[in-house]
Amino acid sequence: MMKKRFISTIAIAGAAAMALTACSSDPEPGASGSAAGGGGGDGEVITVGFAQTGSESGWRSANTDSMKEAFSAENGFDLIFNAADNDTAAQITAVRSFINQGVDAIVIAPIVEDGWDDVLTEAKNAGIPVILEDRTVSSPEDLYAAWVGLDFEKEGTMAGEWAAAEFGDTETKMVVLEGTTGSAPANDRATGFDAAIEGTMIEKIDSQTGDFTRDGGKSVMEGFLQNYGVDGIDLVYAHNDDMALGAIEAIEAAGAVPGEDIKIISIDAVHDGMQALVDGKINYIVECNPLLGELAAGLVKDVLAGNDVERTVYVEDQAFDQAAAEAALPDRKY
Ligand code: GZL
């Protein structure tokens, strides 16, 4: 069982407030591999290949910014960045290219969980450590050195528990906008939510992937509205804010009021999602903190320095109703 380390958002936010850059999250105090300072301990520049999923959402942009801020030259890194445009084959090709370039370490935000064994084995055989950030993989744990990310199943549970409390006692017809098929957040957010609404009167009448994009959420919601009508849908559970924002456009185009005629629960808490929550168009959002850069950079330095690292570092999330969003929005960093 992998050792886990929970880092509270408050600690991250506090550390970030002190950090030189606004959009990053400091490693927890005591982490020996802080991102700050030069190179891997001996001042050498560390060359890192970072295989990002793409640029599918506002969350992804904030995550990319956080990673680029942390893996900066002044922090002792030479970052080779690749965004795979949500194409798993392209992402695996990018990792293979990093191996061929002989980088010191590879960081991956894996688009999907499966299909990583071969290229991770190649990295291991080349003696190049791999750190996972954000999403994780189904490969054996010895094929990567550590993972820093979020507890997606808990995010789904938090969303489902709110739905159960708010709507569980009345007949509620729900449609789901799923994240990218095969991705850890889509799989785990469904698992957590479904368990939390078990035994309630919330009925999932349809579920389809919108690929975590605003356009995807809008077109899937248009389909649901055509199939079931505004009066046939009471609740939307969106696996991320971008798809929720697309659903809002579709609901308004159908002449209905999002947040009233059709309730919406979402995950991420990026700025545009939080604004929609303040505006009453979304009813509840569970946060998914994208500021993982400093923690990932600290893990890279720790691993290269031969230090012991926790194999799993979870960043804790919070959740917001409309009042909490109004209070939090002015100070949010993403
Ligand atoms: C979750 C992350 C997901 C976000 C989406 O950690 O992988 O991918 O919830 C993003 O917004 O596209």
Side-chain angles (χ1 to χ4, degrees), residues 58-88:
W59 190 97
R60 189 61 53 196
S61 303
N63 179 249
T64 293
D65 290 348
S66 172
M67 294 292 285
K68 287 183 174 178
E69 299 262 3
F71 287 91
S72 62
E74 57 264 35
N75 283 342
F77 294 100
D78 173 18
L79 183 70
I80 307 171
F81 176 77
N82 178 280
D85 197 21
N86 252 3
D87 177 336
T88 301

Side-chain angles (χ1 to χ4, degrees), residues 22-223:
C23 186
S24 66
S25 53
D26 262 0
E28 189 181 33
S32 57
S34 164
D42 55 6
E44 287 296 305
V45 172
I46 299 172
T47 302
V48 171
F50 174 37
Q52 179 61 291
T53 61
S55 54
E56 73 280 359
S57 62
W59 190 97
R60 189 61 53 196
S61 303
N63 179 249
T64 293
D65 290 348
S66 172
M67 294 292 285
K68 287 183 174 178
E69 299 262 3
F71 287 91
S72 62
E74 57 264 35
N75 283 342
F77 294 100
D78 173 18
L79 183 70
I80 307 171
F81 176 77
N82 178 280
D85 197 21
N86 252 3
D87 177 336
T88 301
Q91 190 174 42
I92 289 173
T93 299
V95 172
R96 206 158 263 138
S97 163
F98 296 150
I99 296 168
N100 295 335
Q101 293 176 62
V103 298
D104 298 313
I106 294 171
V107 179
I108 307 171
I111 296 167
V112 295
E113 290 189 281
D114 299 336
W116 287 97
D117 293 10
D118 291 347
V119 74
L120 292 180
T121 301
E122 291 164 34
K124 183 173 184 178
N125 293 341
I128 301 175
V130 173
I131 306 292
L132 303 179
E133 72 98 12
D134 176 24
R135 304 179 187 176
T136 189
V137 299
S138 58
S139 298
E141 290 176 5
D142 67 323
L143 292 182
Y144 56 92
W147 167 63
V148 55
L150 297 309
D151 187 340
F152 304 127
E153 185 166 338
K154 184 177 177 185
E155 293 167 352
T157 302
M158 291 163 73
E161 287 175 343
W162 189 83
E166 292 293 313
F167 313 117
D169 297 337
T170 54
E171 200 174 291
T172 301
K173 299 207 178 298
M174 174 182 73
V175 293
V176 180
L177 300 173
E178 300 170 5
T180 299
T181 302
S183 68
N187 292 337
D188 296 351
R189 286 172 183 169
T191 301
F193 190 97
D194 290 350
I197 66 169
E198 186 75 34
T200 71
M201 294 178 73
I202 299 172
E203 178 196 359
K204 188 193 306 184
I205 60 173
D206 215 330
S207 187
Q208 194 179 324
T209 183
D211 216 12
F212 282 131
T213 67
R214 197 175 292 208
D215 287 349
K218 182 179 179 183
S219 60
V220 170
M221 191 67 208
E222 286 166 348

